[in-house]
């Protein structure tokens, strides 16, 4: 491999010979390599067959992205893509629907499903940290049609979230003033996204690191604020503690009275949690541009999960402490679609306690949260399209990278899709925002289900081919039970998300279509690709676990850490390393 290939972490094009297997004397399947490695991280790599530089395909171009993202970048990309306005504002809607206890229980329970998905992703990606990994793994380990459907579903999800966050930014800015025209604000935000995402990936990483760090500081500050004011540290000297868990109560009823109403309230909170909490998919999308990925990816997966769990679980607890679920100001803010953080339970609590200035600070920080989330979605959407193109499942033009290693055509297409945010020029911003929320909720759950299915096939392939999981660079706990647990929960919630349209008197065609469109589209994508391309479900014994492995092994052997240039960088690397 050339030195430039090592520096850039090049993924070779698909080599048909990699998938050829024969049986040994004992009937066990052997890969094209004469000696499968005993230890994928430290042992000798498999013998190389076709040289990496000569691997060509009429459909697939090579991966020319650069491995420049450090551990701290990847951790904050994962956090930045997950923490948006939902944690600060939309969480109040869950409080109104279910009450504080239901909200806290729902967020806590859903974090266990995210843990299961994280474990699946971490083991596969650490073994083979390539660009757009889980999209490409679905095609390699399950069926090419699965990779096609999962990849385009994820792209639609991420691309739709970009105008969602642009719309949110515009709404937040109107908290202060209506002087800036909506169209102008959209163009400014899109211009900044384009500038950041078309620069070298290390600069994207730096921008996302600092903006996501602001989100972390905001939620930590709000949790400290909650602790202080609940104990009487407020202008009213009101030591309210957990008062609102008894007045008006811990559980709110929704649509029905009694136990059924409380259950439906809890279910609505669980639906909100399933849309709000993510993480492992964003971390994995940076694997192909991570330096020293075998070392930093497991740390990144673990750090992102535990930090996000802490923020979301404690955040759901905090809003239930600060505001009663029937607060008139919060209900009016949501029903009227008031701009910015006006509907945020934190801002509502500050107003109740007659605290000034802080609401403006929260609103400013929520603006950076929305901007950062949108920035992360541009990155993930462009990289998912790039990964599809590498596998021949999207036009080859999207594999082209500039000299900085950025797939610029993919970035430009995502920004073009973001023009959908201009819909709010002629429609109520709250309605447009809800359109995007409804459309992408099911997509995220479909993604998680696909990841769990892919892991189960990966697990079966390891067993069928006699590979000991203890020899992997990272071995996830509780497998394959965690994968089955994650698949069950995510699959069920995919269909539950729009259940309200089936309640008596609630039938609404647009709501039904937005809630279930992707559930209908994904099987069509899968079956259409399978029929046209005549793909086959991959048997465990013949799943190719070695493609691109030689590039990763060689990169790891030749990797030389870049020393921090100053004491501050050393501190950041230590803190997030």
């Amino acid at each position: 491999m050339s030195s430039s290939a090592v520096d850039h972490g090049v993924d070779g094009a698909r080599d048909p010979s990699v998938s050829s297997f024969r049986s040994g004397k004992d009937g066990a399947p052997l890969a094209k390599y004469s000696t499968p490695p005993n230890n994928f991280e430290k042992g000798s790599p498999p013998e190389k067959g076709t040289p990496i530089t000569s691997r060509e395909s009429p459909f697939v171009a090579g991966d020319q992205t650069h491995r420049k993202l450090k551990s701290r970048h990847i951790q904050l990309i994962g956090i930045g893509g997950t923490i948006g306005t939902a944690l600060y504002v939309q969480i109040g809607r869950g409080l109104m629907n279910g009450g504080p206890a239901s909200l806290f229980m729902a967020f806590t329970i859903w974090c266990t499903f995210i843990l299961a998905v994280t474990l699946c992703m971490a083991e596969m990606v650490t073994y083979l940290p390539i660009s757009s990994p889980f999209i490409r793994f679905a095609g390699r380990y399950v069926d090419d049609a699965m990779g096609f459907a999962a990849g385009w579903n994820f792209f639609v999800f991420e691309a739709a979230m970009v105008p969602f966050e642009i719309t949110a930014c515009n709404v937040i800015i109107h908290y202060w003033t209506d002087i800036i025209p909506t169209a102008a604000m959209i163009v400014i935000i899109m211009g900044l996204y384009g500038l950041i995402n078309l620069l070298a990936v290390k600069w994207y990483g730096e921008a996302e690191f600092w903006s996501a760090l602001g989100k972390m500081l905001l939620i930590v500050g709000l949790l400290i604020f909650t602790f202080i004011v609940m104990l009487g540290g407020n202008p009213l000297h009101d030591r309210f503690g957990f008062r609102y868990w008894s007045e008006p109560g811990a559980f709110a009823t929704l649509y029905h009275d009694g136990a059924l109403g409380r259950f439906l309230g809890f279910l609505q909170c669980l639906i909100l949690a399933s849309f709000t909490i993510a993480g492992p998919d964003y971390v994995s999308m940076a694997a192909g541009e991570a330096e020293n990925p075998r070392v930093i990816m497991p740390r990144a997966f673990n750090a992102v999960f535990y930090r996000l769990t802490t923020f979301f679980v404690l955040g759901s607890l905090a809003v239930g402490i600060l505001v009663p679920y029937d607060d008139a100001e919060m209900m009016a803010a949501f029903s009227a679609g008031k701009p910015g953080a006006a509907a945020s339970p934190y801002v509502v609590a500050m107003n109740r306690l007659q605290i000034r200035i802080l609401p403006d600070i929260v609103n400013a920080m929520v603006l950076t949260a929305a901007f950062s989330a949108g920035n992360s979605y541009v990155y993930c959407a462009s990289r998912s399209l790039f990964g599809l193109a590498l596998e021949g499942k999207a036009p080859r033009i999207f594999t082209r990278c500039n000299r900085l290693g950025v797939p610029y055509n993919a970035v430009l297409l995502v920004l073009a899709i973001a023009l959908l945010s201009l819909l709010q020029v002629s429609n109520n911003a709250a309605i447009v925002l809800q359109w995007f929320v409804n459309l992408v909720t099911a997509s995220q759950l479909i993604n998680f289900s696909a990841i769990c299915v892919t892991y189960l096939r990966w697990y079966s392939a390891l067993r069928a081919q006699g590979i000991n999981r203890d020899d992997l660079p990272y071995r996830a706990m509780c497998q394959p039970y965690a994968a089955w647990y994650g698949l069950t929960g995510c699959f069920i919630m995919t269909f539950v998300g729009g259940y309200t349209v089936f309640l008596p008197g609630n039938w609404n065609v647009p709501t039904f279509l937005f809630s279930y469109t992707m559930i209908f589209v994904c099987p069509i994508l899968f079956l259409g690709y399978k029929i046209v391309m005549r793909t086959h479900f991959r048997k465990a014994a013949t799943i190719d676990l070695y493609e691109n492995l030689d590039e990763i092994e060689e990169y790891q052997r030749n990797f030389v850490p870049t020393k921090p240039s100053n004491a501050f960088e050393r501190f950041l690397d230590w803190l997030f390393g």
Side-chain angles (χ1 to χ4, degrees):
M1 178 183 289
S2 64
S3 59
S4 62
V6 174
D7 292 338
H8 298 174
V10 174
D11 294 334
R14 198 173 184 84
D15 180 1
S17 67
V18 178
S19 297
S20 62
F21 285 77
R22 59 184 175 82
S23 295
K25 294 180 180 180
D26 56 357
L30 297 175
K32 75 163 197 169
Y33 307 109
S34 59
T35 306
N38 292 321
N39 185 297
F40 292 102
E41 182 176 22
K42 300 178 181 178
S44 301
E47 294 179 9
K48 294 181 176 63
T50 306
I52 297 166
T53 55
S54 67
R55 292 181 180 180
E56 298 178 354
S57 165
F59 304 105
V60 185
D63 185 343
Q64 300 172 24
T65 54
H66 298 184
R67 290 193 179 274
K68 298 294 184 181
L69 293 176
K70 298 180 180 293
S71 177
R72 61 185 177 91
H73 295 146
I74 294 175
Q75 290 183 39
L76 272 296
I77 287 172
I79 291 174
T82 302
I83 298 180
T85 57
L87 180 59
Y88 309 111
V89 182
Q90 296 301 320
I91 196 171
R93 193 180 295 277
L95 178 64
M96 292 190 306
N97 288 331
S102 290
L103 185 68
F104 177 68
M105 289 167 55
F107 273 66
T108 302
I109 291 171
W110 191 251
C111 282
T112 64
F113 292 104
I114 296 300
L115 173 60
V117 177
T118 301
L119 292 172
C120 295
M121 189 75 82
E123 183 170 303
M124 294 188 294
V125 173
T126 303
Y127 169 74
L128 197 62
I130 57 177
S131 296
S132 306
F134 77 88
I135 294 173
R136 300 167 74 182
F137 292 164
R140 295 183 184 188
Y141 304 156
V142 185
D143 188 314
D144 271 323
M146 178 82 161
F148 180 81
W152 281 104
N153 175 73
F154 184 74
F155 172 75
V156 168
F157 167 63
E158 294 297 311
M161 288 299 291
V162 178
F164 169 84
E165 295 297 347
I166 292 176
T167 301
C169 287
N170 178 61
V171 171
I172 294 168
I173 289 171
H174 285 176
Y175 176 87
W176 291 296
T177 180
D178 293 325
I179 295 176
I180 304 176
T182 296
M185 198 68 252
I186 292 171
V187 170
I188 292 172
I189 295 170
M190 288 180 58
L192 291 173
Y193 285 163
L195 179 64
I196 294 171
N197 282 273
L198 290 172
L199 292 173
V201 70
K202 68 177 181 180
W203 296 115
Y204 162 79
E206 286 296 335
E208 191 61 22
F209 173 80
W210 291 108
S211 58
L213 186 60
K215 298 186 195 183
M216 290 179 56
L217 294 177
L218 174 59
I219 187 60
V220 170
L222 291 175
L223 292 175
I224 294 173
F225 163 81
T226 302
F227 181 73
I228 292 173
V229 298
M230 71 181 291
L231 295 179
N234 58 74
L236 302 181
H237 305 293
D238 182 8
R239 192 182 178 93
F240 54 88
F242 282 83
R243 176 189 303 162
Y244 303 130
W245 284 57
S246 56
E247 302 173 13
F251 296 92
T253 57
L254 186 67
Y255 301 119
H256 292 274
D257 295 328
L260 177 59
R262 289 191 290 272
F263 172 75
L264 293 178
F266 165 77
L267 188 59
Q268 203 65 30
C269 291
L270 193 62
I271 293 170
L272 175 67
S274 69
F275 168 72
T276 305
I277 308 174
D281 41 353
Y282 298 114
V283 175
S284 71
M285 292 305 291
E289 295 171 90
E291 65 175 32
N292 198 17
R294 285 276 178 86
V295 174
I296 71 172
M297 292 308 294
R299 297 176 183 173
F301 278 112
N302 289 332
V304 169
F305 169 75
Y306 290 116
R307 286 171 182 160
L308 286 177
T309 297
T310 300
F311 296 153
F312 280 107
V313 171
L314 293 183
S316 65
L317 178 64
V319 297
I321 292 173
L322 290 172
V323 182
Y325 66 76
D326 61 352
D327 182 85
E329 179 184 345
M330 183 170 63
M331 296 174 72
F334 275 112
S335 62
K338 288 188 176 180
S344 169
Y346 298 103
V347 172
V348 171
M350 293 169 186
N351 292 336
R352 288 173 62 93
L353 297 171
Q354 300 179 13
I355 298 173
R356 309 303 176 202
I357 301 177
L358 280 184
D360 288 315
I361 296 176
V362 170
N363 198 71
M365 296 299 289
V366 169
L367 174 60
T368 64
F371 179 86
S372 170
N375 191 37
S376 182
Y377 296 141
V378 172
Y379 174 83
C380 289
S382 62
R383 293 323 188 263
S384 63
L385 183 59
F386 175 68
L388 283 166
L390 285 176
E391 296 287 300
K393 297 179 175 70
R396 185 174 179 176
I397 190 174
F398 295 116
T399 64
R400 295 179 182 175
C401 295
N402 60 22
R403 62 183 180 84
L404 301 175
V406 176
Y408 59 92
N409 285 327
V411 173
L412 292 175
L413 178 62
V414 174
L415 293 176
I417 294 173
L419 291 172
L420 287 172
S421 54
L422 289 170
L423 286 171
Q424 63 183 301
V425 173
S426 58
N427 292 276
N428 181 278
I431 295 175
V432 176
L433 203 64
Q434 196 61 42
W435 285 354
F436 291 121
V437 171
N438 291 341
L439 178 63
V440 301
T441 300
S443 289
Q444 177 163 285
L445 296 171
I446 293 170
N447 292 333
F448 291 159
S449 298
I451 290 168
C452 294
V453 170
T454 302
Y455 180 85
L456 290 171
R457 297 307 301 153
W458 150 270
Y459 184 88
S460 297
L462 293 177
R463 295 191 63 184
Q465 298 177 32
I467 297 175
N468 190 340
R469 290 179 61 238
D470 291 333
D471 292 333
L472 298 176
Y474 176 83
R475 184 181 187 274
M477 64 179 181
C478 302
Q479 295 291 14
Y481 310 106
W484 282 110
Y485 176 72
L487 175 59
T488 302
C490 294
F491 184 78
I492 291 174
M493 288 303 297
T494 300
F495 293 91
V496 171
Y499 83 95
T500 55
V501 299
F502 301 108
L503 296 177
N506 275 22
W507 175 254
N508 182 276
V509 174
T511 301
F512 173 80
L513 292 177
F514 275 115
S515 298
Y516 293 100
T517 293
M518 293 309 298
I519 297 177
F520 298 129
V521 169
C522 281
I524 293 173
L525 291 174
F526 176 83
L527 293 174
Y529 191 88
K530 191 171 186 65
I531 293 171
V532 173
M533 304 302 292
R534 298 181 181 179
T535 64
H536 299 282
F537 182 76
R538 302 190 188 281
K539 297 180 180 178
T542 59
I543 289 175
D544 180 9
L545 300 175
Y546 299 107
E547 183 179 358
N548 298 126
L549 184 61
D550 46 2
E551 294 100 299
I552 300 300
E553 295 285 356
E554 186 165 350
Y555 171 83
Q556 291 293 145
R557 288 195 305 272
N558 290 279
F559 174 73
V560 178
T562 303
K563 294 183 179 180
S565 59
N566 53 58
F568 184 60
E569 282 195 5
R570 284 196 295 273
F571 170 73
L572 291 178
D573 289 345
W574 170 80
L575 183 63
F576 293 95

